[in-house]
Amino acid sequence: MTARAAVELLRPGVDSPPESRLRLLIHNAGLPEPEVNQWIAGPDGRAISRPDLQYRRLRIALEYEGEHHLLDPAQWHRDIERDDRLRQVGWVVLRFTKKHLRQENAPATVEKIRRTLLDRGWRPGQSV
């Protein structure tokens, strides 16, 4: 890959390299590009969550969970609460770890995302 091609794949607002790897996995599979770290408001207009990646129109949130999420009880609790808030307003939350990004697991990870996109009304060739 050339430097120019790599620069075109960069996105502002990404919080971690694994989030970028997940987004690039999605991109390389030919799936629509998700938004990066954008706030979601609840029915009252208050911010309720800022998923790592999301398909706003389809209400799909993708979260990369680093190991610190499991090792820090307070963080784990916040993650559960965050996901519950999203589900309460009709979102699907897909969670991923470093094992999902491994080469041998990448096809299943892509299929999980593709299936969820299709279940939520996306069709290949459509923008989201």
Side-chain angles (χ1 to χ4, degrees):
M1 174 180 296
T2 66
R4 178 172 293 197
V7 166
E8 290 177 8
L9 293 173
L10 295 175
R11 298 296 178 269
V14 176
D15 287 340
S16 71
E19 288 175 26
S20 291
R21 285 194 291 278
L22 178 58
R23 188 179 53 77
L24 291 174
L25 182 66
I26 292 166
H27 171 81
N28 292 337
L31 295 175
E33 182 166 345
E35 292 179 66
V36 175
N37 288 312
Q38 297 296 311
W39 281 100
I40 295 168
D44 63 359
R46 293 177 57 201
I48 61 170
S49 183
R50 186 176 158 259
D52 298 330
L53 303 170
Q54 67 177 277
Y55 295 102
R56 186 179 303 272
R57 186 176 65 78
L58 300 174
R59 293 185 175 216
I60 301 169
L62 295 85
E63 293 285 0
Y64 177 81
E65 307 292 0
E67 290 178 0
H68 69 281
H69 289 257
L70 294 176
L71 299 176
D72 178 349
Q75 180 64 54
W76 194 7
H77 176 79
R78 286 191 300 272
D79 293 345
I80 291 168
E81 293 296 312
R82 169 204 67 204
D83 294 350
D84 285 347
R85 285 191 305 273
L86 283 172
R87 289 186 187 105
Q88 287 170 0
V89 293
W91 283 69
V92 171
V93 180
L94 303 178
R95 297 171 71 185
F96 302 94
T97 67
K98 66 181 179 181
K99 288 188 178 185
H100 291 100
L101 301 180
R102 290 184 182 159
Q103 186 174 0
E104 66 271 17
N105 297 324
T109 298
V110 167
E111 184 54 30
K112 179 179 181 177
I113 297 166
R114 182 188 324 274
R115 187 175 57 251
T116 303
L117 285 164
L118 291 168
D119 288 349
R120 300 294 279 195
W122 172 77
R123 295 295 171 256
Q126 285 181 333
S127 61
V128 292

